[in-house]
Amino acid sequence: MTSDEQLMLDFQQGSREAFIELFERYREPMYGFFRRRLNEAARAEDLAQETFLAVLRGVSRYEPRALFRTYLYGIALNLLAAERRKRSREGTHAEEAPEPAVSTDPEASLWVQRAIEKLDADACEVLLLREYEQLSYAEIAALLRVPVNTVRSRLFRARMALKELLVPQQGRSQERNS
């Protein structure tokens, strides 16, 4: 299988097939990225498409200094930030929320979704990038422009906060009394 970076270099040289392959590999992950952060499926689809348009427009400037995946998610994060600024200016506060975790129990999914919504923005973003987007610590650090150790500590704090939110209060008080 050809690497993403090689496909992007092939695309720079004019290979339409290389771009189609990249699009096929990342279409669903990009949609999922936006869908988990915006509660509007149509807008998530639009932003996923805009991400690939940005790749098309910037193909001549692409340099394989980092993984293509990091490059792509960097574009997506910039588009998401612009979308949030636009909504803030317009006063549109359409509910932004992570998609519930995949589970056979819809009630459990709802609990997880609500718990993730309560995390602070930095913790939430690191958690989503790691757990949903499956990015490495190094990729997250590059995207957020923070040291890897900052990613590690934010992820640890996010997981601990999530655990606190998901463990029933009653169960914790019983554990302490045991």
Side-chain angles (χ1 to χ4, degrees):
M1 184 162 98
T2 309
S3 74
D4 296 339
E5 295 74 26
Q6 186 58 52
L7 286 171
M8 191 62 179
L9 291 172
D10 291 349
F11 178 51
Q12 269 185 325
Q13 301 303 313
S15 171
R16 183 172 182 246
E17 293 78 21
F19 179 77
I20 291 170
E21 177 67 25
L22 285 169
F23 179 76
E24 288 299 319
R25 287 182 188 181
Y26 287 99
R27 177 182 45 179
E28 289 301 316
M30 281 295 101
Y31 172 74
F33 172 86
F34 290 110
R35 186 68 179 99
R36 281 185 281 281
R37 287 158 179 84
L38 303 170
N39 229 5
E40 296 176 46
R43 191 61 188 137
E45 181 67 36
D46 290 346
L47 288 171
Q49 295 294 329
E50 286 180 38
T51 302
F52 288 104
L53 286 174
V55 170
L56 284 169
R57 287 187 206 111
V59 67
S60 64
R61 295 184 306 276
Y62 174 77
E63 294 177 25
R65 288 180 268 175
L67 293 175
F68 172 76
R69 184 166 82 159
T70 305
Y71 172 73
L72 189 65
Y73 279 101
I75 292 170
L77 276 172
N78 288 337
L79 287 171
L80 182 64
E83 177 73 10
R84 288 176 172 161
R85 283 191 303 273
K86 178 182 159 195
R87 287 177 180 216
S88 177
R89 278 193 311 272
E90 293 174 352
T92 311
H93 294 292
E95 189 178 321
E96 291 184 20
E99 218 173 56
V102 176
S103 171
T104 56
D105 181 3
E107 190 173 319
S109 295
L110 187 58
W111 280 106
V112 171
Q113 178 184 2
R114 288 192 177 146
I116 291 173
E117 289 171 4
K118 292 178 183 176
L119 296 176
D120 69 69
D122 288 339
C124 183
E125 194 59 50
V126 169
L127 185 72
L128 291 174
L129 288 170
R130 179 69 182 152
E131 301 302 333
Y132 287 94
E133 274 45 88
Q134 299 292 303
L135 298 182
S136 70
Y137 288 20
E139 289 172 312
I140 296 168
L143 279 173
L144 301 179
R145 295 182 177 95
V146 298
V148 171
N149 284 338
T150 301
V151 171
R152 290 180 196 280
S153 63
R154 284 182 186 173
L155 189 57
F156 176 79
R157 285 194 309 268
R159 287 174 174 157
M160 290 298 102
L162 198 57
K163 181 180 176 184
E164 285 292 313
L165 292 166
L166 292 173
V167 174
Q169 294 292 330
Q170 185 178 20
R172 278 190 296 216
S173 62
Q174 288 175 352
E175 288 172 9
R176 280 188 225 125
N177 293 335
S178 300

